[in-house]
Structure formats: C-alpha cells, structure tokens
Amino acid sequence: MDLKITCIPGDGIGPEIVAETKKVLERVAEIYGHKLHFEDILMGGASIDVHGVPLTEEAVEKAKAADAVLMGSIGGDTTTSPWYQLPPDRRPEAGLLALRKALNLFANLRPAVLYDELAGACPLKEEISKAGFDMLIMRELTGGLYFGERKTVEENGVRKAIDTLTYDENEIRRIAVKGFDIAGKRRGKVTSVDKANVLDSSRLWRKVVEEVAKEYPHVTLEHMLVDNCAMQLVKDPAQFDVILTENMFGDILSDEASMVTGSIGMLASASLNDSKFGLYEPSHGSAPDIAGKDVANPIATVLSAAMMLRYSFDLDREADAVEAAVKQVLKEGYRTRDIMSEGCTQVGCSEMGSLLADRIV
Ligand code: NAD
C-alpha cells in the first residue's frame, strides 16, 4: 500500500517519540512491502513560535489530505511557558481542539492494557490484576454536556448555572456503529455505559445502541450504569472488551481505566471520523520536564501507530506485528526510565525505538 501520513511532532517530548515511531513504521513498511510518505506539520507551541497561531489553515489542509495523522504531543510547562500568557484561543491546546473539529473526529478510542511484565505497576490487588485486562474505551467526543448550551443567570438574587446534555439519534448511531465494528475486530463484546435510570439522553442512547446491535449478531451487547462501571473497573477489569459511552462518562472512565494500568508512557489513543481517517496520539502530554533528555517512553506513540495500521489502513497483520514487538521488548527486560524495575535494563527513548524496530517480524 502507498500511505500518506501527516505527522505532528509538536512540543516537549513530541519530536522524540514521533521520530522513534517513524523508525518502527519504516521497518513495518520494509518487511510488509508498503510505501510510506511522511509529511510534518506544525501545531501547538511549535506553530505559535513560527506563525503566531497554534494551527494554520495550511496545516489543516495538509492533515486533511493525508490518509491518517500521527501526533506526538503539544503544550509546554503551563506555569512558566510564555505560550500560556496568550489568550486561551491562541494557546497550544487550541490548535488540537481546532484540528479535531476540522477533521470531524467524533470517536475517541483509548485502550487500557495490563502487560504481564508491567503488572507490578498496577495499583490493584494482585488477586484482581492477575487475571490481566485488555479493554478499549470508545468515547463520543463531539456531543453531550461539553457541547450543550450553557449559561449562568441570576434569579431573585440567587446565582444559577445551567448546562444542557443533548444527543440526537444520529450522533449516537455513528459512534455505536464504530464501537460494534471495532468489537468485531477484538473479542466481540460491547458494554454500553449510560445512566438510563435517570437521564432521557441515556434512555435514547440505550435504544439506539440496541437498534445498531441487531446488525451485529456476532457481537454481544450488555448495558451497564455508569456508577456501576466505575466500580467494576477496579473490581473486575478483565470482564471488559469495548466500553461504549457518551462524552462526559467516557472522559472520566477512560482516565480511571488508564490509571489502573499504572503506566502513562504505555497508553495509546485514536480519534476517528466516519470514514477510515483518524488522528493517532499517545494519551499523555508533552512532558516538558523530560523533553530533550532521551528518556521519554515512545511506546504509547508506537502503539497509537499500531492502531493507525489497524483502524485506518485495515493492516491487522502489521498492527499485530507492532504490538508483538512491544511485548517482546518488555519480555526481554528492556525498560525506559518511567517503567524501570529491578533486574531490567534501562534504555533511552532512541534505543527503545531501535529495539522495537528490530523486533518487527
Ligand atoms: P504529561 O502527561 O505531559 O506528564 C505527566 C508526567 O508523566 C510527567 O512527569 C512526565 O514526565 C511523565 N510522562 C508523560 N509522558 C511520558 C512518557 N512518554 N515517558 C515518560 N514519562 C512520561 O502531563 P502534564 O505535565 O500535566 O502536561 C504537560 C503539557 O502537556 C501541558 O502543556 C499539557 O497541556 C499538555 N498535554 C497535552 C496533551 C496532548 O497533546 N494531547 C495531553 C495532555 C497534556
């Protein structure tokens, strides 16, 4: 395949982790006979420094013209960086919000996987963590409470704030379809999370998800209330495959799920639109405290690239190869500083990238 990938190295550790991920992708392309065309664009602080704005129209056009976008991370130290003296709509993060909007990315995917070799970092009791877990949180990203009408008023001298939570059936259907499609590529189970005992928006959510489920007889659907889901994530995380949920519930649950893995440098993410197009980036930020020191863990970005191979390009074999390389390198005892433990060999960002590329088969 001939694949056009627009890269956003971004700020902080972004350029380091993206460079290592390109190394791994080049190796995949070499072994499996693909041609990759990378083009870098500026976003975030890097774009502010050159263009005065966190994202230019030209950069958006280049992202749109690609088959997928691979991003490092953006932003600086929020207390000391001059980028944070700018008005909010000119700061680094505004670039990412604008890009997500321009690309119509409505589905956010965050896997939370506990690797055997890193089980020690899991904060759960061993009797729970020993079962392992490998789940994916599918969060609706452009609707719900965060995008509803909001206002603060004063009535009879009392201040009152109003936020509205709205979903229409089309918004629910398109994310449900993504959730079932992806569950079909995994272990075939969707847990749809809502608060249908209280909220109308959740009752509609449940109905539409059930309609979509009829088109996927090979995928099992269960419903779970969000409060129960928050408990089940720490009580029995092994039960989950795909968790499908609306924007605010997904925001909270995906952070909870990532915390139970215990390793921020390992967490991938993807945001998709209704074609095969997606933006792939690690869940962590730009880690300005370790930027330029060759100590960052590139694995979250490499695993995001594996998601890109799987979900944007349908290259499952190649995605499996990248994920297997990550497991192999961990099994051999190589660790970056953030996941280092006794008896292992500590390596830098660049060496980790080379080890991963070498283990692609
Ligand atoms: P952060 O995720 O950058 O860092 C939190 C801690 O985890 C730090 O100690 C950091 O050194 C460590 N860490 C993060 N990624 C690591 C990696 N790959 N390898 C090793 N250690 C790693 O969060 P923060 O410090 O709150 O934010 C820093 C900047 O990143 C801010 O400007 C924030 O707005 C931005 N941010 C960007 C994104 C994004 O680009 N999507 C997401 C979150 C935060």
Side-chain angles (χ1 to χ4, degrees), residues 111-230:
V113 181
L114 185 64
Y115 292 90
D116 289 348
E117 292 76 12
L118 302 181
C122 174
L124 303 177
K125 279 189 195 153
E126 206 196 326
E127 63 193 75
I128 298 172
S129 65
K130 73 175 182 221
F133 55 83
D134 177 352
M135 71 183 98
L136 188 142
I137 312 249
M138 164 84 69
R139 164 189 172 194
E140 202 290 325
L141 206 55
T142 56
L145 201 56
Y146 298 170
F147 290 88
E149 217 177 287
R150 72 187 91 247
K151 60 181 174 186
T152 304
V153 293
E154 198 166 315
E155 282 175 3
N156 304 324
V158 177
R159 285 171 298 165
K160 181 168 147 184
I162 302 158
D163 294 289
T164 42
L165 199 179
T166 314
Y167 270 109
D168 71 38
E169 60 179 309
N170 297 327
E171 290 172 299
I172 302 169
R173 188 165 294 110
R174 64 181 185 174
I175 183 97
V177 165
K178 284 267 181 224
F180 280 86
D181 278 345
I182 283 170
K185 281 192 167 223
R186 293 173 47 99
R187 299 194 305 281
K189 180 179 172 191
V190 168
T191 304
S192 174
V193 174
D194 61 37
K195 188 73 183 166
N197 53 342
V198 179
L199 300 174
D200 260 17
S201 55
S202 282
R203 285 190 275 269
L204 180 63
W205 181 277
R206 206 174 263 220
K207 263 190 208 135
V208 176
V209 169
E210 276 172 4
E211 286 162 19
V212 172
K214 290 197 183 104
E215 308 295 318
Y216 295 83
H218 54 289
V219 176
T220 311
L221 168 67
E222 69 173 11
H223 299 285
M224 192 177 279
L225 295 176
V226 62
D227 38 355
N228 185 26
C229 184

Side-chain angles (χ1 to χ4, degrees), residues 28 32 310 316-326 356 359-361:
V28 170
Y32 289 87
R310 196 181 298 286
D316 288 357
R317 239 172 10 135
E318 289 81 342
D320 289 345
V322 174
E323 289 166 2
V326 168
L356 292 167
R359 301 301 183 275
I360 299 287
V361 284

